[in-house]
Amino acid sequence: GIQVEQSPPDLILQEGANSTLRCNFSDSVNNLQWFHQNPWGQLINLFYIPSGTKQNGRLSATTVATERYSLLYISSSQTTDSGVYFCAVSGGSYIPTFGRGTSLIVHP
Amino acid sequence: EAGVTQFPSHSVIEKGQTVTLRCDPISGHDNLYWYRRVMGKEIKFLLHFVKESKQDESGMPNNRFLAERTGGTYSTLKVQPAELEDSGVYFCASSTRIASSPLHFGNGTRLTVT
């Protein structure tokens, strides 16, 4: 199956800092999504971004499909950004597959 | 449109008991997936339905897990008998097409087996 690697596995920030999370994948994909699992365990869809760049408030994402990676940018981080960030990819006959996630803690 | 709904949101059961989780996908979504996240670990695929047919159940951990999708609408995931290692958050997702359409997730069911 397709391999999905996320980095870094853990990230600790002070409120107001910026960060970049990365998702590498091993094959061509038709779909890539970024999710945030909040402290209540819910998976919140952040971006559907098989290619290109999108922005939503303090968050933005870029996927370079030809180079098989995606980046999630968090600017001016807030404590409410804490949680685990997952990317999930699918393509061809691949079942949507998640990376192991990046655990983010934002301190006040 | 209504999103993916899962019921119950939480379930606490004793080892050996049976639990049934339910997922109602977005209307018109043929693809339905079950995933789970065991404490602190990655989100693992369990199985995939296309309408009422099981397309891929390679992620089902063992025969204590049984999934059904009645008439291609809602789906149930039964765990019988539950073991301690079954604790975790069970997510359901639906989509219109497998390869290129986004997944829509429910809020998950947090299962605790004591």
Side-chain angles (χ1 to χ4, degrees):
Chain A
I2 194 168
Q3 305 302 311
V4 184
E5 294 184 359
Q6 290 187 243
S7 60
D10 301 282
L11 188 58
I12 300 174
L13 300 174
Q14 286 296 127
E15 202 166 29
N18 303 327
S19 62
T20 301
L21 283 57
R22 187 177 180 104
C23 173
N24 292 337
F25 41 95
S26 61
D27 205 343
S28 301
V29 298
N30 300 113
N31 178 19
L32 187 144
Q33 288 176 261
W34 283 97
F35 295 92
H36 174 217
Q37 187 174 28
N38 63 23
W40 296 270
Q42 299 167 329
L43 272 178
I44 308 300
N45 180 62
L46 299 176
F47 293 102
Y48 166 65
I49 186 166
S51 65
T53 298
K54 291 185 178 180
Q55 180 156 6
N56 184 3
R58 297 180 296 103
L59 303 182
S60 64
T62 295
T63 297
V64 184
T66 53
E67 296 186 22
R68 300 180 183 170
Y69 73 89
S70 183
L71 302 175
L72 177 69
Y73 304 96
I74 305 174
S75 64
S76 304
S77 58
Q78 300 176 357
T79 56
T80 52
D81 295 331
S82 297
V84 184
Y85 290 80
F86 291 98
C87 71
V89 303
S90 62
S93 60
Y94 294 128
I95 291 297
T97 301
F98 282 80
R100 289 178 174 267
T102 292
S103 178
L104 173 64
I105 298 173
V106 181
H107 289 302
Chain B
E1 64 180 7
V4 177
T5 57
Q6 292 188 244
F7 182 83
S9 56
H10 294 85
S11 180
V12 181
I13 61 172
E14 294 183 353
K15 177 182 172 180
Q17 290 186 321
T18 297
V19 63
T20 300
L21 314 181
R22 174 171 170 144
C23 169
D24 287 74
I26 292 173
S27 178
H29 281 195
D30 289 342
N31 291 286
L32 187 150
Y33 306 86
W34 284 97
Y35 289 84
R36 74 172 178 179
R37 186 173 190 223
V38 174
M39 192 61 68
K41 298 193 176 179
E42 58 202 288
I43 298 175
K44 287 280 204 179
F45 166 77
L46 295 177
L47 86 159
H48 169 218
F49 285 97
V50 177
K51 298 184 181 180
E52 67 276 7
S53 299
K54 291 178 185 175
Q55 196 74 11
D56 183 341
E57 52 184 331
S58 60
M60 295 287 264
N62 51 60
N63 58 10
R64 295 186 293 103
F65 288 74
L66 175 64
E68 295 178 328
R69 189 178 183 190
T70 306
T73 56
Y74 70 91
S75 175
T76 57
L77 179 65
K78 180 191 287 188
V79 185
Q80 178 183 30
E83 297 289 344
L84 298 179
E85 63 264 26
D86 300 332
S87 295
V89 182
Y90 289 76
F91 292 103
C92 173
S94 70
S95 71
T96 55
R97 293 189 305 277
I98 182 172
S100 60
S101 56
L103 293 175
H104 299 262
F105 276 86
N107 285 334
T109 293
R110 183 176 294 276
L111 175 64
T112 302
V113 183
T114 62

